Amino acid sequence: MLIGVPAEIKTLESRIGMTPGAVREAVSSGHAVMVQKDGGLKIGLTNEDYSKAGAKIVETAEEIFAKAEMIVKVKEPQPNECAMLREGQLLFTYLHLAPDPQQTEALLKSGCVAIAYETVTSPRGGLPLLAPMSEVAGRMSIQAGAHCLEMRQGGEGVLLGGVPGVPAANVVVLGGGVVGINAARMAMGMGANVTVLDNSLARLGELDGLYGPQLKTIYSSVDTVDEYVTQADLVIGAVLIPGAAAPKLVNTDHLKKMKNGSVVVDVAIDQGGCFETSRATTHLEPTFNVDGVVHYCVANMPGGVARTSTFALNNATMPFTLALANKGYKQALKDNPYLAEGLNVHCGKLTNEAVARDLGKSYVPVTEVLAA
């Protein structure tokens, strides 16, 4: 199979879909790989590195989209990239379609076959291709939140861990999944008072067993969200419903009760965000203020540590990329029902139920399109 790896073009996005090591694995399996010139240069992956791994270096994304059978990316295709996709072409990347009707329509119109990293599952019910970036984003959320609490950034001037004689900040994490636990670990490590809210008693029990009294675990309800969010210095939105839009757990009434200069970091922004007032921002202009509360809503947070993120992502995606190339997507999806969960768009049809429900569209089950 001819695999194409274009440079990412989202604002300040320096990750790349395949590392030289991943290219070498694909080439050794008999595939050809095209990489856009300087696509990995910003994170120290040179054209020479890719050439030595067996890739062909090409000048433009247009050539890659025109020739490659499978496109491997990191972020969702931007409008001009969607326009270059063709019927039957395989796209393997993050998509986050539920809050993005424009991208969904463009992918349906293109006739491509789009497999989303974020909806591929595992036998244990996890999200193996989302987890690496969730780990990064969870850890970054505390760094970003601590910075935003500084006066110069519009924050209330609180040091996350406090100092002797002065209390530490109160950090509330909404959601005890991969993002949430990584955020909680970072915040605890910095000395903050940390509370995790989740509606799974089993998950709260696991976290209590791991961290004991160092981490406060609270069952998430309307009352507890209201109580803990409004008293927090920093709130991390770490809620995820696979494929679907994130629930709006924090509304404008909550914000009005929060302290002036408190901070919210919405890691769920790729799925529409879990704060009613959230809107996607970029690394160039990461924050905005609503009712005195600083909002950090960068939609590609791991892009800020692009080298770490690229290698972490490739460790997870490479076996799936090879399976799709070795077997062809139909056989690969038939052989692996967990990979099949990643199929969101197939030749003009929506194949993810959660996405279809949130966008008010009809969908065709994956089993049906694979059997056709």
Side-chain angles (χ1 to χ4, degrees), residues 49-104:
D49 293 333
Y50 281 105
S51 294
K52 286 181 178 178
K56 178 184 178 184
I57 306 300
V58 299
E59 289 285 338
T60 66
E62 285 78 6
E63 183 178 353
I64 288 175
F65 277 87
K67 294 180 179 179
E69 297 167 84
M70 173 165 63
I71 300 292
V72 179
K73 280 177 42 63
V74 178
K75 288 305 293 177
E76 71 279 357
Q78 302 303 294
N80 61 320
E81 293 176 312
C82 289
M84 291 189 284
L85 289 165
R86 63 180 188 273
E87 187 171 353
Q89 190 173 40
L90 182 59
L91 172 66
F92 194 34
T93 189
Y94 287 116
L95 293 175
H96 300 291
L97 294 180
D100 194 346
Q102 289 77 21
Q103 184 201 170
T104 304

Side-chain angles (χ1 to χ4, degrees), residues 5 255 359:
V5 185
L255 260 62
L359 292 178

Side-chain angles (χ1 to χ4, degrees), residues 145-162:
H147 183 57
C148 289
L149 281 169
E150 296 175 14
M151 297 293 294
R152 182 69 179 83
Q153 310 307 316
E156 58 180 321
V158 169
L159 181 64
L160 207 63

Side-chain angles (χ1 to χ4, degrees), residues 1-325:
M1 181 179 284
L2 178 55
I3 303 169
V5 185
E8 297 292 326
I9 60 173
K10 193 162 185 171
T11 304
L12 293 182
E13 180 56 76
S14 301
R15 288 175 287 179
I16 188 167
M18 294 179 74
T19 62
V23 169
R24 187 172 289 109
E25 292 287 338
V27 171
S28 66
S29 295
H31 306 292
V33 183
M34 306 166 65
V35 176
Q36 188 173 349
K37 182 180 178 181
D38 296 338
L41 194 58
K42 290 180 181 178
I43 56 172
L45 303 178
T46 66
N47 297 327
E48 184 180 6
D49 293 333
Y50 281 105
S51 294
K52 286 181 178 178
K56 178 184 178 184
I57 306 300
V58 299
E59 289 285 338
T60 66
E62 285 78 6
E63 183 178 353
I64 288 175
F65 277 87
K67 294 180 179 179
E69 297 167 84
M70 173 165 63
I71 300 292
V72 179
K73 280 177 42 63
V74 178
K75 288 305 293 177
E76 71 279 357
Q78 302 303 294
N80 61 320
E81 293 176 312
C82 289
M84 291 189 284
L85 289 165
R86 63 180 188 273
E87 187 171 353
Q89 190 173 40
L90 182 59
L91 172 66
F92 194 34
T93 189
Y94 287 116
L95 293 175
H96 300 291
L97 294 180
D100 194 346
Q102 289 77 21
Q103 184 201 170
T104 304
E105 287 295 339
L107 293 179
L108 291 170
K109 183 180 178 181
S110 74
C112 76
V113 177
I115 299 174
Y117 293 159
E118 73 272 9
T119 61
V120 174
T121 60
S122 72
R124 297 180 61 185
L127 301 169
L129 305 190
L130 188 60
M133 297 303 93
S134 295
E135 291 168 351
V136 171
R139 297 182 185 203
M140 286 188 70
S141 70
I142 300 301
Q143 294 181 186
H147 183 57
C148 289
L149 281 169
E150 296 175 14
M151 297 293 294
R152 182 69 179 83
Q153 310 307 316
E156 58 180 321
V158 169
L159 181 64
L160 207 63
V163 293
V166 181
N170 293 317
V171 176
V172 172
V173 181
L174 302 175
V178 177
V179 170
I181 192 55
N182 277 274
R185 284 179 58 193
M186 287 289 287
M188 287 187 291
M190 294 175 72
N193 301 313
V194 185
T195 302
V196 171
L197 275 66
D198 199 288
N199 61 6
S200 167
L201 286 175
R203 182 57 176 162
L204 293 176
E206 291 174 2
L207 297 180
D208 184 70
L210 285 170
Y211 298 103
Q214 187 182 5
L215 177 65
K216 184 182 291 185
T217 56
I218 300 294
Y219 186 81
S220 180
S221 67
V222 173
D223 283 343
T224 56
V225 168
D226 183 75
E227 177 182 355
Y228 284 91
V229 164
T230 55
Q231 297 302 311
D233 298 291
L234 171 60
V235 182
I236 307 298
V239 181
L240 175 70
I241 300 174
K248 305 295 185 185
L249 297 183
V250 177
N251 57 39
T252 53
D253 289 337
H254 292 122
L255 260 62
K256 290 173 183 176
K257 297 177 188 176
M258 292 177 72
K259 289 177 279 188
N260 189 61
S262 54
V263 175
V264 298
V265 177
D266 199 342
V267 187
I269 192 65
D270 272 326
Q271 294 295 133
C274 60
F275 301 94
E276 185 181 21
T277 47
S278 289
R279 55 177 172 80
T281 60
T282 69
H283 288 288
L284 201 58
E285 295 184 27
T287 64
F288 59 93
N289 193 298
V290 178
D291 291 330
V293 177
V294 179
H295 289 56
Y296 182 99
C297 303
V298 175
N300 58 329
M301 284 179 65
V305 287
R307 185 176 174 90
T308 295
S309 297
T310 293
F311 281 89
L313 181 60
N314 268 248
N315 290 341
T317 58
M318 186 170 62
F320 295 97
T321 301
L322 291 177
L324 291 166

